[in-house]
Amino acid sequence: MPTLTINGMTVDVPPGTTILNAAKEVGVEIPHYCYHPKLSIAGNCRMCLVEVEKFPKLQTACSTVVADGMVVRTDTEKVSKAVTGVLELMLTSHPIDCPICDQAGECGLQNYYMKFGLHKSRYDLEDKVHKKKVQDIGGQIVLDAERCILCSRCVRFLAEVTKTQELHFFNRGNHSEISIFPGKPLANDYTGNLADICPVGALTSKDFRFKCRVWFLRMFDSICTGCSKGCNVDAHHKDDVLYRLKPRWNDAVNQAWMCDAGRLTYKAMNEARLLTPFLRDGGDRKIVSWGSLLPDVAFRLKAAADKGGPDRVAVIASPQSSNEELYLLRRFATEILGTKNLAFTHRVAGDGFADDFLIQADKNPNSRGARILGIPDGAAFDALVSKISGGGIDALLVFGGAIGALSEQETTALLAKVPLVVHVGTNEGPVSKAATAVLPSASVAERGGTFTNHAGRVQLFRMGFPARGKAKNPLEILVAMANRLGAGWGFAGEASVFRAIAETEAPFAGMSYESIGMFGQEVTCPKS
């Protein structure tokens, strides 16, 4: 293992480590633009120049592999002068449009100028080279060529990750710029990542443009709910409004990327939300309080089971629910209502498209978790729908906003066969429009828990802010209804429910929120 000295500090690193990464081990920041840990090394921005003893010239830290006994300095006047000069060169033709640039606040040029620049410009504004601005180049991306510093991260991403190669360098010298070929826009499902990896705001997100300055945003860890991959994401919000999702690194799941469809799933947490509990009286909505609604629906569900027998009551679960919610829902159905009519339905979204990278055909985050917890789908769900259609159900508790692949008209017709339909969900949809009682629930951003992805990895998602309106955590709803019926459940929060899962469900044995941590933990049962 090579031992080297950086700014007087000694460090041992694995063979093959670059100076830039070795410096991180001792807390030394080396500025860089073109380097990205998940892309090949280009060494073309020259911001990471360092002084290496016995080397006649400054070296690029991103591409120079350490050697035993190497002595590196990043804090000399020679290095400082070189880095400042590179930064000054980049800024000669960069537009001064920070007040309107969506990258402002998280721009590499801004940040490094404050740390390593602070020089007076020797360049007149009228001498700057002007290039094309506000170009829609396809996908989720707007290109401003004038801001580009030619680091080539975007070009390498499209060559090495998506392998679609839509962006290229054109022209030479000061007039060199990235662009697409005429009539050949970005044509892949991962274009949003280009805005994430662009260090200077040349590539920005169409969806996020001009919606919020980034310094107003706060961030929390979450999991994408767009499919069963369970990509790790950072959710950015201001108050109770989500503005964007960005990939959070997890080499075991999504590396540093996420797909475009998943990136836009945050919209459902803002729009068409169910915010107030209500009963449907004839065709009208009657707003009611939680205090009266929860015991009312709990007693009516139990009364239906007592009157017609447990077989006349059914529960439809959702693979959008967390492991904790599914566990309590199963217990509510089997222990409290005593019914075996329990199944889950796949959310109707997308066309089942999948690729060999991140996108899965199952557009739900927790189908695997539902099956592991003993809630069936497929034929069991079809049989349950047939039973409802045949008038065999008197009371139905539905989690989620859709019934399988049924249209709104078909859902309305199906639910019309059931005298009592209780809906727990986040958004307006076919079920809420037909339900007798609607219990608004917190979105993924407003509650915590775990999902089990398609590969059996259990992953945590966290509450970012309190539930909107009068929506409640589904766990609170289930515990309150169960206790109204004498269950005596003492669960207080997601962690306490997960402890019960780990104690009683073999695939989760030995797990805890601590062992799951930031990167997840695999269940012990075989794939299903």
Side-chain angles (χ1 to χ4, degrees):
M1 182 172 284
T3 300
L4 71 156
T5 301
I6 302 176
N7 294 352
M9 294 177 284
T10 301
V11 60
D12 298 325
V13 293
T17 303
T18 61
I19 293 175
L20 190 145
N21 285 324
K24 291 179 183 175
E25 297 295 318
V26 291
V28 173
E29 180 188 11
I30 298 178
H32 59 274
Y33 289 121
C34 66
Y35 173 77
H36 189 285
K38 294 298 181 184
L39 301 175
S40 63
I41 292 172
N44 58 0
C45 76
R46 320 304 287 180
M47 275 293 288
C48 64
L49 292 172
V50 296
E51 198 168 353
V52 181
E53 192 174 86
K54 298 180 182 177
F55 278 57
K57 297 180 179 178
L58 297 178
Q59 303 294 304
T60 52
C62 70
S63 62
T64 304
V65 175
V66 302
D68 194 41
M70 183 178 274
V71 177
V72 178
R73 301 297 309 193
T74 71
D75 54 358
T76 65
E77 184 178 350
K78 187 176 180 181
V79 172
S80 177
K81 188 175 180 180
V83 170
T84 302
V86 170
L87 190 58
E88 185 178 9
L89 175 65
M90 289 179 180
L91 288 168
T92 54
S93 287
H94 192 86
I96 312 299
D97 55 2
C98 303
I100 61 164
C101 177
D102 280 291
Q103 193 90 350
E106 54 186 2
C107 172
L109 280 174
Q110 282 184 332
N111 294 340
Y112 286 156
Y113 177 77
M114 297 305 294
K115 289 182 178 179
F116 306 102
L118 293 176
H119 54 270
K120 288 187 177 179
S121 176
R122 293 179 290 176
Y123 214 75
D124 293 330
L125 285 174
E126 54 268 26
D127 292 333
K128 288 182 180 289
V129 177
H130 298 290
K131 298 173 184 174
K132 293 187 287 292
K133 301 180 73 67
V134 196
Q135 303 171 70
D136 183 347
I137 59 171
Q140 294 190 2
I141 297 299
V142 171
L143 166 63
D144 189 322
E146 202 170 76
R147 297 175 185 164
C148 179
I149 59 170
L150 306 176
C151 72
S152 81
R153 279 186 179 187
C154 55
V155 175
R156 283 176 283 147
F157 174 81
L158 296 173
E160 298 165 11
V161 180
T162 67
K163 304 185 190 307
T164 48
Q165 299 183 311
E166 297 99 325
L167 281 171
H168 299 268
F169 285 113
F170 295 87
N171 303 323
R172 295 183 177 182
N174 275 352
H175 296 278
S176 183
E177 62 182 88
I178 60 163
S179 189
I180 55 174
F181 287 106
K184 302 284 186 182
L186 294 174
N188 67 80
D189 295 308
Y190 297 91
T191 61
N193 297 286
L194 297 173
D196 297 336
I197 62 175
C198 178
V200 297
L203 300 164
T204 52
S205 163
K206 285 181 194 173
D207 179 63
F208 183 66
R209 277 169 66 84
F210 307 126
K211 288 187 176 174
C212 187
R213 307 304 291 187
V214 296
W215 50 83
F216 292 129
L217 297 176
R218 302 186 70 174
M219 183 177 73
F220 60 95
D221 301 340
S222 193
I223 300 295
C224 177
T225 57
C227 78
S228 59
K229 186 70 177 180
C231 288
N232 293 210
V233 298
D234 289 324
H236 295 240
H237 71 101
K238 181 174 180 289
D239 300 326
D240 63 356
V241 177
L242 276 170
Y243 280 87
R244 62 180 182 179
L245 301 178
K246 299 184 78 170
R248 176 165 51 87
W249 285 24
N250 187 338
D251 285 338
V253 181
N254 55 299
Q255 301 175 44
W257 320 116
M258 69 182 298
C259 73
D260 289 350
R263 201 176 284 269
L264 299 180
T265 55
Y266 80 90
K267 290 176 180 286
M269 301 175 214
N270 294 334
E271 301 165 356
R273 289 289 306 277
L274 293 166
L275 299 176
T276 306
F278 65 86
L279 290 170
R280 183 161 278 104
D281 186 4
D284 300 327
R285 294 184 176 189
K286 179 184 176 185
I287 304 299
V288 292
S289 68
W290 280 108
S292 65
L293 183 61
L294 283 173
D296 179 36
V297 296
F299 290 136
R300 290 170 71 180
L301 287 168
K302 189 69 168 75
D306 292 341
K307 182 180 179 182
D311 200 42
R312 299 289 297 182
V313 177
V315 175
I316 293 179
S318 168
Q320 292 278 310
S321 296
S322 68
N323 291 316
E324 293 80 356
E325 293 150 14
L326 291 166
Y327 170 77
L328 287 192
L329 183 61
R330 188 197 71 193
R331 290 187 58 180
F332 185 84
T334 59
E335 296 176 15
I336 309 299
L337 300 178
T339 182
K340 296 179 180 177
N341 295 324
L342 170 65
F344 75 89
T345 170
H346 283 95
R347 179 168 57 115
V348 183
D351 54 3
F353 171 76
D355 62 15
D356 58 358
F357 187 30
L358 299 181
I359 301 172
Q360 301 292 308
D362 178 3
K363 306 304 179 190
N364 299 283
N366 205 24
S367 300
R368 184 83 190 278
R371 295 188 190 105
I372 291 174
L373 289 167
I375 301 176
D377 60 338
F381 175 73
D382 294 340
L384 182 53
V385 171
S386 296
K387 193 167 186 173
I388 297 170
S389 181
I393 297 298
D394 296 330
L396 177 64
L397 174 60
V398 183
F399 274 65
I403 306 283
L406 299 183
S407 67
E408 183 168 339
Q409 292 75 17
E410 291 168 333
T411 300
T412 302
L414 179 73
L415 297 184
K417 303 286 182 75
V418 184
L420 172 65
V421 177
V422 179
H423 175 226
V424 179
T426 56
N427 294 82
E428 293 274 5
V431 178
S432 69
K433 292 177 182 176
T436 315
V438 173
L439 287 61
S441 67
S443 73
V444 169
E446 299 157 0
R447 66 189 205 268
T450 58
F451 292 133
T452 307
N453 80 351
H454 74 105
R457 179 170 289 272
V458 181
Q459 302 188 100
L460 278 167
F461 61 94
R462 304 180 191 281
M463 185 186 82
F465 44 84
R468 280 183 165 195
K470 295 182 178 178
K472 275 186 178 293
N473 188 317
L475 293 181
E476 288 183 60
I477 295 172
L478 285 167
V479 169
M481 288 200 300
N483 285 340
R484 285 287 182 174
L485 299 176
W489 286 354
F491 299 110
E494 296 88 358
S496 67
V497 180
F498 193 81
R499 280 195 292 274
I501 294 175
E503 291 170 358
T504 58
E505 308 295 318
F508 297 89
M511 284 189 180
S512 66
Y513 276 12
E514 289 73 25
S515 68
I516 293 170
M518 286 285 291
F519 302 109
Q521 184 178 3
E522 290 193 6
V523 293
T524 55
C525 65
K527 283 190 174 183
S528 62

